[in-house]
Structure formats: structure tokens, C-alpha cells
Amino acid sequence: HAQEGNRLPCLHLFPVEANATEQLQRVLDNAAHRAKTRVNRMMTYAEGRRCRHAALAAHLGERLDPCDDACDVCTGERAEGAATNSRQERSAGKRSVATSADAIAVLKAVASAPFSVGKTGLIRLLEGSIQSRIQRDRSPYFGALGDLPKSKIDELIDRLVDDGFLFRDLDHEFKLIRLTKQGAAANPDDLVAYDEKPKCPQAFQATSELDDDQDLSPDEQVVLRRLQDWRRERADRDGVPAYVVAPNATLTEIARRRPANPEKLVKIKGFGPTRVEKYGDEILAILIETNIPDSPD
């Protein structure tokens, strides 16, 4: 009889189809979606937003009706105050102001990330979220800003984009964030302004219009009022607060210096390359319309 030996698998390789790349991407997308669903189920259980028994069953792929009388969620033992206390515990020790060191951490996190992410993904990485696609084993900046509120990390990223240190590709499906040449070359001295305590947007907008233009000439005040009108219209058009388009201090400086071209406009504090590219033509057109000569450097 034939002597038995090691059995080797026999593989039949089929030709690669033309849409193989699309099929692979669908497989990866489906896997990512399933992983995200599992994480969301775990968070639902941890936060007590659903019957404990039903949440566990869903995590195991089963469907179960709420127990109604057995777990702490259904019996009401998990009091409303528990959720509030949990939020207070999570927020305890949080800093209220970002610094230049935080800005450097954001830039380094983007530079060292294994792949590009959008703003939500970057925030999750920096706050050390369990939902982050990049965990501690893939980035040394996982949780680097965990002591900052999520809203502050969001504001810091927006400011770095506005100042030209980061680029957010709004034409991309996921609005990926990338490091610019300016951001790659940035050092702590370039970001010293980020150590200044930011003003509340509402207070800034209410007080700056009263104070910042006191030393402007009558002609310059006309330019400032025209720029403020434009900002209000542009903010309405874009569906964003006015200070996102440009802070009043920046408009005041534009009215005072009256730059005649993009090269001079980009030198205005708070008006980096990103804002020049987005708003520069409209602002320069306003300066021409007001018919006031360019101020000397």
C-alpha cells in the first residue's frame, strides 16, 4: 500500500480581475465598519445607554429583548446622576488653554502618523480615544493631548490650518489633514503666539470692534467697516461664525496697513497662506474699491 506522508495543500490561483483593487477596498471598508460597530457596542454597554443583557447579546451577534427587570439600566438603579458624575470625573484635571507645546505635538502627530486622517481621526488620536484608528503601538502621540478638552483640540487644529501649518483637503472625501512645508519646518519660536490665552469668541467679537479701531484714521475706519461687512456676508455664505473667517484684530491690521498684493497680505498676523488663498482676492478687491492708497511699509 502507498506510504502516507505529509499532506500539502494544493492552491489554485485565479487570474486577477480588473476590479480587484475595488474588491479589496470593499473588504477593508467592511472590516473597518465591523470593527467600529463592535467598539460602539462596547461603548453602549459601558455607558449604560441600553439594557446590559441586550447589549451583550448584540456584541455576540445575537438579538435579545430588554430584560426590563434585571440589569441596573432597566431597573433604573443607574441613576441619572451617575452619568453626570462620570462626565465630571472625565473632565477633572483638564486644562482650559492650549499652548505652543500642544501645537508642536499636533504637528508631530500628523508628521509621524502611519496614514493620513481627517480632523475627527486626528482628535481621537491626540485625546487617546479607544475609537482612534491609530493606537499607542502605532503613534507615540496617542493621548498626547488627553488633558485638553476635545473642543480645545478641535480649535487648535483649526488654528494650525488657518495659520498655514496644516492643510485640510476639503475636496477629499474624508477631508484629510496633512503637514505643510511651513508646518514641517516649524519650531517652538514659530508657535510662541499659541501660548497666549485665547479670548472667548463672543467676548472677542463684542469688545474688539470697540477697542481695536481707536487708533485708526477716519479713512482707515471706513476700510475696517467695509471689511467687517464683507466678513459678515462671507461667514453667512460659508455657514461659519465670523471669527472663523478672520478675527477683528486681523481686519484692523489689514485696514491699517492696506496690503496691495497677496505677498503683503500673507504677512498680516493671523492671516496665513490658507486664508490668503481662500479670501485674498475678495479682500484685495475691497481695498481697491475703497480707493485708499497702499500704506508705506
Side-chain angles (χ1 to χ4, degrees), residues 273-295:
T274 300
R275 277 195 170 113
V276 170
E277 181 178 356
K278 190 171 184 178
Y279 308 123
D281 290 343
E282 295 180 27
I283 288 178
L284 293 174
I286 291 172
L287 297 177
I288 293 174
E289 288 173 6
T290 53
N291 198 28
I292 297 177
D294 180 26
S295 65

Side-chain angles (χ1 to χ4, degrees), residues 50-99:
R50 182 182 178 191
C51 169
R52 303 287 191 186
H53 297 170
L56 283 174
H59 182 69
L60 297 174
E62 301 292 337
R63 183 171 182 177
L64 188 69
D65 291 333
C67 65
D68 292 335
D69 59 1
C71 75
D72 61 335
V73 176
C74 291
T75 60
E77 294 178 7
R78 187 179 188 279
E80 181 65 26
T84 301
N85 292 337
S86 176
R87 286 194 295 270
Q88 291 175 344
E89 290 173 0
R90 290 197 299 269
S91 63
K94 294 282 188 180
R95 292 183 289 125
S96 61
V97 178
T99 66

Side-chain angles (χ1 to χ4, degrees), residues 33-148:
H33 176 72
R34 288 195 296 271
K36 184 176 181 180
T37 300
R38 287 196 296 271
V39 170
N40 288 338
R41 286 171 178 166
M42 292 173 61
M43 296 300 295
T44 296
Y45 177 85
E47 295 175 1
R49 290 179 284 157
R50 182 182 178 191
C51 169
R52 303 287 191 186
H53 297 170
L56 283 174
H59 182 69
L60 297 174
E62 301 292 337
R63 183 171 182 177
L64 188 69
D65 291 333
C67 65
D68 292 335
D69 59 1
C71 75
D72 61 335
V73 176
C74 291
T75 60
E77 294 178 7
R78 187 179 188 279
E80 181 65 26
T84 301
N85 292 337
S86 176
R87 286 194 295 270
Q88 291 175 344
E89 290 173 0
R90 290 197 299 269
S91 63
K94 294 282 188 180
R95 292 183 289 125
S96 61
V97 178
T99 66
S100 60
D102 298 325
I104 289 289
V106 174
L107 298 181
K108 289 184 176 180
V110 174
S112 63
F115 50 83
S116 297
V117 294
K119 185 162 74 168
T120 298
L122 182 56
I123 291 174
R124 287 175 176 172
L125 166 62
L126 293 167
E127 69 175 351
S129 170
I130 190 176
Q131 294 180 294
S132 174
R133 293 177 60 195
I134 304 174
Q135 292 291 311
R136 192 180 305 278
D137 60 334
R138 304 191 70 183
S139 172
Y141 295 96
F142 178 82
L145 303 186
D147 58 344
L148 271 180

Side-chain angles (χ1 to χ4, degrees), residues 170-231:
L170 298 179
D171 294 327
H172 191 279
E173 179 182 2
F174 301 109
K175 298 178 175 55
L176 299 179
I177 291 179
R178 300 184 179 91
L179 200 65
T180 64
K181 291 182 179 180
Q182 180 183 350
N187 58 59
D189 291 338
D190 298 325
L191 299 166
V192 66
Y194 285 68
D195 286 319
E196 299 174 359
K197 186 173 182 179
K199 296 181 180 180
C200 169
Q202 291 83 357
F204 178 85
Q205 190 171 358
T207 61
S208 60
E209 293 190 8
L210 297 176
D211 300 331
D212 289 345
D213 62 351
Q214 294 301 308
D215 59 344
L216 296 182
S217 70
D219 285 342
E220 291 168 346
Q221 290 186 16
V222 171
V223 178
L224 177 59
R225 297 296 180 257
R226 178 65 186 89
L227 288 171
Q228 290 171 342
D229 290 342
W230 162 81
R231 179 182 60 179

